[in-house]
């Protein structure tokens, strides 16, 4: 059996002509000489190095196509029929509505979340509703890397961010609806940290938290972007970017003058952080008023995972998000999304094993979040149970963004008098179709009637996750999410059973 997803993909609108494929390579078993090259090989023959990346990115989301041999579907959820934990064993009280989903993340300045969910780093597509919906639902959310590059009013002085007004606008998308739960967190990659993004965010925008990005499941390296020409390469070089080949090299300049310049690429620098840098760096930011520190990590080598956790413990980091293979992104190498890193379930198991060992050493670990391919409440429940007591929340990124986009589109169709056929049986207006608007009115008053439909969609989607979690927790007679554990899972395969026994 091959887990190879083949060499035809929606990443780049490629397809194979034959139904008979070679499992090892993914190529058509019968490869015709007159084929115009509809598969990835044919695309590569035309686009070359550019075909490493998706051609269908932009205002779209893209995720791994690989079917991993172990995921959360390899577990069923247990159930119990006697008693109750976390609440008096009385029928009128042991109801799903009394299942406690609230949790607290962090150490020095704990952050309350209304349900065990975090919306991971994002800043594309309908980000306004993504962040607003997070605030309405009462969960944390993260502003994705690259935010300064999206501000036409950005000004740099001596390689540092001097003016970045767009950041306040982004953060206000959350802060406008903040109700005492959750937090919006600007993310900084290696280059943005060097540019002083954390200092600017804290001093000029009132940011209370920063996330340092080590990597993500879809993109363990930083992106490479092909530049238009020599002039663009030189402009990027002068702005401090890493450009290959170096347009300032006399030989390259001479080649450009002859019309013989090669392709130029700009590359985001890989993080070169270590303990000696991060621990005092975090201390300085706290002296400036920073309250919470987050790390974004992924399924790198277990030695690196342990080192990041040790740094986090030493620096009293509040939250570390681990992103498992199977998640997604908007601009990552196609094969990196499919073929690298620990998948989510094995990653969670490895992290739990390391965390247990570090705990025996007496280290106080941060709150942990698992992300990577989650969409529904059964998956969230299983991850919380398998990761207990170390993992405190689950990251829902692509699914939450899909909810924002879908709700926005439905609202536009309602306004146009073209209600989608599959929804007509539920109502004929925004008031009747968006069923959780009453819950928002209860939280915010009648001003909720003017809330963006996309944000209402994110709130409603997360409300569904919360309701589903309550059902599964009550099924196990556990009325507090903090009581979940591996005993709430039923392994369906030998590999899944081994993971549970290890826990």
């Amino acid at each position: 059996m091959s887990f190879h997803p083949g060499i035809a993909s929606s990443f780049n609108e490629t397809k194979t002509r034959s139904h008979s494929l070679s499992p090892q390579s993914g190529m058509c078993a019968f490869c015709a000489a007159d084929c115009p090259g509809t598969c990835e090989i044919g695309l590569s023959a035309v686009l070359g190095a550019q075909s490493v990346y998706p051609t269908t990115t932009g205002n779209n989301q893209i995720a791994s196509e690989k079917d991993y041999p172990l995921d959360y579907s390899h577990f069923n959820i247990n159930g119990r029929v006697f008693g109750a934990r976390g609440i008096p064993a009385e029928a009128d009280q042991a109801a799903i509505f009394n299942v406690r989903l609230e949790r607290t993340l962090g150490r020095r300045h704990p952050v309350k979340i209304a349900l065990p969910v975090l919306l991971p780093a994002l800043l594309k597509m309908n980000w306004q509703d993504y962040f607003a919906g997070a605030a309405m639902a009462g969960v944390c959310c993260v502003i994705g890397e690259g935010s300064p590059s999206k501000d036409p009013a950005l000004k740099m002085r001596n390689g540092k961010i001097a003016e970045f007004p767009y950041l306040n606008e982004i953060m206000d998308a959350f802060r406008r609806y903040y109700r005492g739960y959750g937090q919006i967190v600007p993310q900084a990659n290696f280059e943005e940290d060097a540019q002083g993004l954390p200092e600017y965010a804290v001093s000029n925008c009132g940011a209370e938290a920063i996330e340092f990005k080590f990597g993500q499941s879809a993109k363990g390296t930083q992106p490479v972007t092909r530049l238009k020409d020599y002039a663009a390469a030189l402009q990027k070089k002068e702005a401090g970017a890493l450009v290959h080949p170096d347009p300032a090299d006399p030989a390259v300049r001479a080649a450009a003058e002859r019309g013989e310049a090669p392709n130029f690429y700009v590359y985001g620098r890989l993080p070169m952080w270590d303990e000696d840098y991060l621990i005092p760096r975090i201390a300085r930011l706290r002296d400036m008023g920073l309250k919470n520190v987050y790390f974004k990590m992924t399924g790198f080598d277990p030695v690196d995972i342990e080192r990041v956790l040790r740094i986090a413990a030493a620096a009293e980091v509040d939250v570390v998000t681990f992103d498992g293979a199977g998640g997604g992104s908007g601009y990552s190498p196609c094969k990196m999304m499919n073929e690298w890193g620990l998948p989510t379930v094995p990653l969670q198991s490895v992290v739990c094993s390391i965390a247990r060992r570090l705990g025996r050493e007496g280290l106080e670990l941060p709150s942990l979040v698992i992300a990577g391919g989650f969409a529904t409440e059964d998956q969230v429940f299983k991850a919380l149970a398998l990761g207990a007591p170390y993992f405190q929340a689950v990251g829902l990124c692509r699914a939450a963004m899909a909810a924002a986009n879908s709700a926005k589109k439905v609202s536009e169709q309602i306004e146009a008098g073209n209600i989608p056929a599959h929804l007509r049986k539920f109502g004929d207006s925004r008031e009747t179709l968006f069923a959780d608007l009453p819950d928002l009115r209860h939280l915010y008053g009648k001003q909720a009637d003017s809330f963006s439909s996309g944000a209402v969609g994110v709130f409603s989607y997360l409300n569904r996750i919360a309701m589903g979690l309550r059902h599964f927790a009550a099924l196990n007679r556990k009325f507090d999410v903090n009581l979940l554990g591996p005993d709430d899972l039923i392994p369906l395969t030998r590999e899944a059973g081994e993971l549970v026994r290890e826990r």
Side-chain angles (χ1 to χ4, degrees), residues 481-501:
V481 71
N482 291 296
L483 298 172
L484 302 185
D487 60 337
D488 296 314
L489 300 178
I490 301 170
L492 303 180
T493 63
R494 182 178 64 185
E495 293 80 4
E498 291 174 354
L499 283 185
V500 169
R501 284 191 293 274

Side-chain angles (χ1 to χ4, degrees), residues 246-324:
D246 185 354
D249 185 303
V252 175
R253 184 185 301 113
E257 291 171 353
R258 296 193 305 269
E260 299 172 357
N263 284 322
F264 292 96
Y265 299 92
V266 61
Y267 179 55
R269 293 175 174 88
L270 293 172
M272 292 296 169
W273 295 318
D274 59 17
E275 299 85 344
D276 293 338
Y277 174 79
L278 281 170
I279 294 173
R281 171 74 168 136
I282 290 168
R284 287 193 299 271
L285 290 170
R286 284 189 172 125
D287 289 341
M288 293 179 59
L290 185 70
K291 290 184 177 179
N292 299 104
V293 180
Y294 294 59
F295 281 174
K296 176 68 174 291
M297 184 57 175
T298 185
F300 290 115
D301 189 281
V303 172
D304 292 355
I305 291 174
E306 179 173 340
R307 187 172 178 183
V308 163
L309 283 176
R310 287 187 180 278
I311 294 172
E316 297 186 25
V317 168
D318 297 278
V319 178
V320 179
T321 296
F322 286 94
D323 191 11

